[in-house]
Amino acid sequence: MFTTGGTESIMVAMKGYRDTGRGRRLVMPVTAHPGFWKAADYLGLELTLVPVDADGLPDVAELLDAAGPDTAAICLSAPCFPYGVVDPIAEVAEQAAARGIGVHVDAAMGGLFLPFLDAAGAPPPQFGLDVPGVTSVSVDLHKYGYGAKGASVLLFAEPELRHASYYVSTGWPGGAYAASGVVGTRPVGAAAAAWTAMRALGWSGYAELVAQVMGTARAIQAGLAEHGFQVLGDPPMGVFAAAHPEISVPALAGAMGDRGWWIDTQEQPSSLHFVTFPRHAAVLETLLEDLRAAVSDARANPDGAGGLSYGVMVRGGTLDEAVLRAHLDERFTPSE
């Protein structure tokens, strides 16, 4: 089914798992997208979060041990956003299937990127419905599908799950009401744009873009390594994080900001976060030159601050719940 984005795809999928009577608990690595947390909050589900190791991956045994009779689904990522690594999907799904537990794969970032990695000289990881035990997958078309914002698809391996994900009402005096997603009225433009992008690019077009993106990402990683940065884990695509044992990440992000670069930062651990796209190939050399200068600035001024966090752009202060709610009030209250 077609949805407006990864979060709606997750929410609709989780409704399907809940309404088939499989349980009311979601088990997932702590790196799973906050959309799962939001879905649990909306749908009255419980969360069990499993920690990840230094490589960004959960332990398979620990993940399965956390699942029980009340588990609606185990939720995995291809890849997770914080570190760009792909969870051990095949290993978990095989054992989950033996216990009658479904597995949802959030492939919002990688669904239209990972299958083409052979064009960049790397083997594509297994993550989709062709993996035994995977029962649903969500894929964004507005990320590496290059469609317009507002386009995601949700795929089910089992008709029962798909049917349970629908909302159906027959008691309204105005007639029967049925919907396959959360929102009611929606524009058709995003669907048309996604269809157009996929038809225009085709398999060869996506493969060419993946090869280009991976060339740029590997060059950025090599440039970071020259300054002592270490990429976290083994990310297969151009989404990755890099940490440094000595340089202050906020100070470096601030120094890059002074040069016109908006860099994401993360706190667990303190790291720079990159999402590489084709357009970055044109500015690669400038980025690496500015990085050299920014590293010197960060060493000279380790108390500098800068960088952005995923989802909201809040500068300064502590990113706790009260601060974020106040930020949303300010952002969404109409001004005079």
Side-chain angles (χ1 to χ4, degrees):
M1 61 182 65
F2 187 88
T3 71
T4 57
T7 296
E8 186 184 3
S9 288
I10 287 171
M11 190 170 296
V12 172
M14 295 307 103
K15 178 185 181 300
Y17 285 100
R18 184 196 68 176
D19 290 0
T20 50
R22 302 183 181 217
R24 303 187 71 89
R25 180 171 299 279
L26 306 178
V27 175
M28 66 192 72
V30 69
T31 49
H33 192 274
F36 288 105
W37 305 20
K38 182 177 180 179
D41 189 47
Y42 274 54
L43 297 170
L45 303 174
E46 299 294 326
L47 287 180
T48 296
L49 300 176
V50 176
V52 297
D53 296 328
D55 60 2
L57 297 175
D59 180 77
V60 172
E62 188 172 359
L63 197 62
L64 290 165
D65 286 344
D70 63 340
T71 300
I74 297 175
C75 307
L76 303 174
S77 305
C80 72
F81 185 82
Y83 312 123
V85 295
V86 176
D87 287 331
I89 294 167
E91 299 93 322
V92 172
E94 179 183 11
Q95 298 183 58
R99 296 168 55 181
I101 299 174
V103 172
H104 177 82
V105 175
D106 172 21
M109 293 294 296
L112 282 171
F113 192 101
L114 295 173
F116 305 95
L117 274 176
D118 50 2
Q126 290 185 295
F127 67 91
L129 295 180
D130 56 334
V131 177
V134 171
T135 46
S136 59
V137 179
S138 48
V139 178
D140 280 7
L141 308 183
H142 59 221
K143 289 186 172 70
Y144 287 103
Y146 305 103
K149 278 283 188 179
S152 179
V153 293
L154 174 58
L155 312 173
F156 291 104
E158 302 173 4
E160 179 190 27
L161 278 173
R162 180 179 180 177
H163 292 161
S165 73
Y166 299 151
Y167 176 77
V168 178
S169 172
T170 59
W172 183 46
Y177 176 88
S180 62
V182 175
V183 299
T185 302
R186 68 181 73 184
V188 72
W195 180 87
T196 301
M198 296 180 76
R199 287 296 298 267
L201 289 170
W203 188 278
S204 61
Y206 281 116
E208 182 179 344
L209 288 170
V210 166
Q212 182 187 51
V213 167
M214 290 308 299
T216 302
R218 289 163 180 163
I220 295 174
Q221 291 172 352
L224 290 166
E226 290 180 6
H227 302 289
F229 277 87
Q230 298 176 337
V231 173
L232 304 178
D234 186 20
M237 53 187 292
V239 180
F240 63 92
H244 199 284
E246 300 172 354
I247 295 176
S248 165
V249 166
L252 179 60
M256 290 295 285
D258 292 339
R259 292 166 172 80
W261 300 96
W262 292 59
I263 304 292
D264 281 353
T265 59
Q266 300 182 145
E267 297 182 3
Q268 299 178 11
S270 182
S271 53
L272 297 172
H273 187 270
F274 293 85
V275 180
T276 316
F277 274 98
R279 61 180 176 270
H280 294 136
V283 296
L284 174 61
E285 293 304 320
T286 304
L287 171 66
L288 296 178
E289 290 175 6
D290 286 345
L291 178 65
R292 296 185 189 98
V295 166
S296 297
D297 289 354
R299 290 187 183 276
N301 181 25
D303 295 328
L308 303 169
S309 61
Y310 173 78
V312 293
M313 297 182 181
V314 181
R315 289 186 178 273
T318 303
L319 288 179
D320 60 18
E321 184 174 324
V323 170
L324 291 176
R325 289 184 184 277
H327 171 73
L328 292 175
D329 281 343
E330 179 181 351
R331 182 176 179 184
F332 295 118
T333 300
S335 62
E336 296 181 2

